[in-house]
Amino acid sequence: MTFEEFLTLPDPPSGHLKLHHGSVILVPPRWHRHAEIQQALSDLLLPRTRGKGFGTLEFPFRAQGHEAWQADVGFVREDRRAEITGYLMGAPDLVIEVLSPSNTVDEINDKMDVCMTSGCRSFWVVDPKRQMVSVTEGDVTRQYRAGASIPLPEPLEGAIPVADILDATRG
């Protein structure tokens, strides 16, 4: 299915649709715990974004090819914000995904690859089970655990302590 055909589909009664490699996939509603973690991440990130761009939960974007997704938490620089009409073309500059028990390694790696080839500068995977955050920038992936801080990509400043992220995952 093309992106244009995807846009004509009606909204499902619950959850949301995504276009993945030309196939339409129904994504069920988030579990409460997943939503709590997303909100906590957003609360940590959004104060650092003021005047520098736009960040939100469930950030809708259109990646290269037949792809239309939502990032759990996403941020786009202010200079790209004016481009947004419906869906952001390309991936947000920062994408944060929270692992769920239903996620597969292949699914997350595929999403990371698509995002990184579509303009994402920093792709984070928060793993509540393993109590770590993996951050991919360019061709390098680093794993951060409690005691470390994750530097934010430009134009954001500072870093977010991993302990603050992990506290949100323990709930």
Side-chain angles (χ1 to χ4, degrees):
M1 174 175 279
T2 67
F3 180 73
E4 290 72 24
E5 293 168 326
F6 174 75
L7 288 177
T8 67
L9 296 175
D11 288 333
S14 66
H16 67 273
L17 299 175
K18 71 178 181 179
L19 183 63
H20 184 65
H21 300 309
S23 296
V24 177
I25 298 170
L26 174 62
V27 179
R30 300 175 294 166
W31 289 73
H32 179 76
R33 187 71 194 120
H34 190 91
E36 283 182 333
I37 295 169
Q38 282 179 282
Q39 185 63 55
L41 287 163
S42 179
D43 291 347
L44 289 169
L45 178 67
L46 292 185
R48 294 165 166 88
T49 68
R50 290 196 179 92
K52 296 178 178 165
F54 173 71
T56 191
L57 300 171
E58 301 294 326
F59 194 119
F61 66 97
R62 178 181 174 194
Q64 295 175 354
H66 302 301
E67 307 291 330
W69 293 347
Q70 292 180 4
D72 283 343
V73 179
F75 166 80
V76 65
R77 298 181 325 268
E78 190 65 35
D79 62 314
R80 293 184 63 207
R81 187 176 185 182
E83 303 169 11
I84 302 173
T85 56
Y87 280 78
L88 170 69
M89 292 298 294
D93 296 290
L94 171 61
V95 171
I96 303 175
E97 290 296 317
V98 178
L99 286 184
S100 297
S102 63
N103 291 128
T104 66
V105 172
D106 187 53
E107 174 188 356
I108 293 298
N109 285 339
D110 186 46
K111 190 165 193 176
M112 180 188 64
D113 288 343
V114 169
C115 286
M116 296 306 288
T117 60
S118 297
C120 180
R121 293 179 173 192
S122 189
F123 187 93
W124 298 14
V125 178
V126 177
D127 187 339
K129 181 179 177 182
R130 289 174 185 76
Q131 292 289 285
M132 67 179 207
V133 181
S134 297
V135 176
T136 300
E137 294 178 336
D139 293 332
V140 177
T141 300
R142 291 183 176 86
Q143 294 181 342
Y144 295 86
R145 296 184 186 272
S149 290
I150 302 172
L152 293 167
E154 290 185 7
L156 304 177
E157 297 171 356
I160 293 181
V162 175
D164 291 353
I165 296 170
L166 297 179
D167 285 347
T169 69
R170 290 187 191 111

